[in-house]
Amino acid sequence: MTKCGVGFVGAGGVAARHARVLASLPSARVVAVTDTDALRAEQFAERHGAVAVPGLSELLDSGVDAVYVCVPPFAHGRPEEAIAAAGLAVFVEKPLGLDLEVPQRVAELLDDAGVVTAVGHHWRYSAAVRRAERLLDGCAVRMVCGAWLDKLPPVAWWARRECSGGQLVEQAVHVLDLARVLAGEVSEVYAQPDRASVGPDADIDGATAATLSFASGAVGTLAATWRLGWKHRAGLEVYADDLALSVTEDELVVRDGGRTTRERVDPDDARFAVDSAFVDAVLGERAAVLVPYAEALRTHRVACALARSADEHRPVEV
């Protein structure tokens, strides 16, 4: 195989972003797309030189080598199961699902199928994150402070728990994944929700404050809200002995003693890298993928544990 033929399940904004990257890769081509909105699929196909097909079975029969699953959280499960049965490579956009039931079943099927998998935790591919990893190599992380403080995303399903799983699962999972990369595995969480905003149009928690305990002995916090009118902050602060790092999607700030340095990065570089790595893996370089499905499931477990803790008002082991 010299060129990877890609199909898309879902033709929304995230799918379009991936398709634009793939169009810039000489080793990839977009072949087919399916979406519950037939007009949206047709428009997507026209923009990217693909064909719109009526359903998943037609997509899998279109000659694709790999499939991107870019659907809302509530729609995960059936696409991944069918792709695994077809023996095709799969790229899944986060989150993996509403809770743990579907992702755990999918993980087993993908493992049995032995196919290439990747999940869209593109922050892992950021130059800022890679530099933070190097700076922390050999250091004992003492504390992390994560935040996702934002506005309401412009999609109707996002504020409904049965559709999105809530902010921790759908959105703050990016920060939780970064915490795992830089501070290690999370062993226990405790979350307190603000439910004052629950109502007919939004039944997810308006804000969450949480603590995290790491297997290393480090401690952490997470603050999340979607009740602002702007994106205020999304990122992670990491503290070790005489070292403080602040990592966001577009910047790394390092304070080492009395010296502070800032390194700006282009977020699009990481978005390009996550797709390029997946295509390389499908073509034979499996080590290129930093976040296969099984790895993403570990982060998803942390997010689901936080959601459960917020519901049950008690600490939850991960």
Side-chain angles (χ1 to χ4, degrees):
M1 191 193 312
T2 58
K3 200 157 199 166
C4 177
V6 178
F8 277 86
V9 179
V14 172
R17 188 188 79 204
H18 287 297
R20 287 193 296 270
V21 172
L22 294 171
S24 71
L25 298 176
S27 55
R29 64 189 179 96
V30 181
V31 175
V33 60
T34 187
D35 192 279
T36 54
D37 185 330
L39 177 59
R40 185 164 64 179
E42 290 284 355
Q43 292 171 339
F44 181 100
E46 184 177 349
R47 284 194 304 271
H48 301 291
V51 59
V53 295
L56 184 58
S57 60
E58 292 85 356
L59 182 84
L60 298 177
D61 290 338
S62 65
V64 297
D65 305 301
V67 181
Y68 275 66
V69 179
C70 302
V71 299
F74 65 87
H76 284 291
R78 179 172 168 266
E80 292 92 336
E81 292 166 5
I83 295 163
L88 297 174
V90 60
F91 185 110
V92 180
E93 256 306 334
K94 44 62 60 187
L96 304 182
L98 294 172
D99 50 31
L100 281 175
E101 181 182 357
V102 167
Q104 288 183 158
R105 182 173 72 248
V106 167
E108 292 176 2
L109 292 173
L110 292 173
D111 184 58
D112 290 343
V115 298
V116 173
T117 67
V119 174
H121 283 295
H122 64 274
W123 285 30
R124 293 265 196 126
Y125 296 80
S126 165
V129 173
R130 292 197 301 271
R131 173 150 172 74
E133 287 185 275
R134 292 193 297 271
L135 289 169
L136 289 168
D137 186 29
C139 297
V141 172
R142 305 300 184 185
M143 181 172 66
V144 302
C145 301
W148 198 291
L149 312 171
D150 207 346
K151 60 184 182 298
L152 177 67
V155 286
W157 51 263
W158 196 87
R160 306 297 304 177
R161 180 175 294 218
E162 70 273 16
C163 296
S164 70
Q167 187 183 21
L168 296 174
V169 170
E170 203 286 326
Q171 200 173 57
V173 70
H174 273 303
V175 173
L176 295 173
D177 190 66
L178 190 56
R180 287 188 56 244
V181 172
L182 299 180
E185 298 300 335
V186 178
S187 57
E188 185 178 83
V189 298
Y190 182 42
Q192 289 280 11
D194 163 32
R195 300 214 158 131
S197 58
V198 172
D201 299 322
D203 66 356
I204 64 172
D205 301 332
T208 307
T211 58
L212 299 87
S213 299
F214 290 82
S216 66
V219 294
T221 64
L222 175 69
T225 184
W226 52 272
R227 299 290 292 176
L228 302 175
W230 66 93
K231 187 171 185 177
H232 185 69
R233 177 172 171 78
L236 189 75
E237 296 176 2
V238 185
Y239 299 95
D241 294 341
D242 294 321
L243 179 64
L245 309 180
S246 176
V247 188
T248 63
E249 196 173 14
D250 58 4
E251 186 178 54
L252 171 65
V253 180
V254 180
R255 180 160 186 176
D256 184 357
R259 182 181 59 177
T260 300
T261 60
R262 294 177 181 271
E263 179 180 337
R264 299 284 296 180
V265 298
D266 186 344
D268 286 341
D269 290 345
R271 297 188 183 108
F272 176 90
V274 70
D275 290 321
S276 179
F278 175 63
V279 170
D280 287 347
V282 177
L283 296 177
E285 299 180 28
R286 289 201 176 208
V289 172
L290 299 182
V291 193
Y293 195 93
E295 170 64 8
L297 180 56
R298 296 185 183 97
T299 296
H300 187 68
R301 286 194 181 104
V302 179
C304 290
L306 281 163
R308 182 180 170 191
S309 176
D311 284 340
E312 297 179 1
H313 302 286
R314 66 176 183 86
V316 171
E317 292 185 0
V318 178

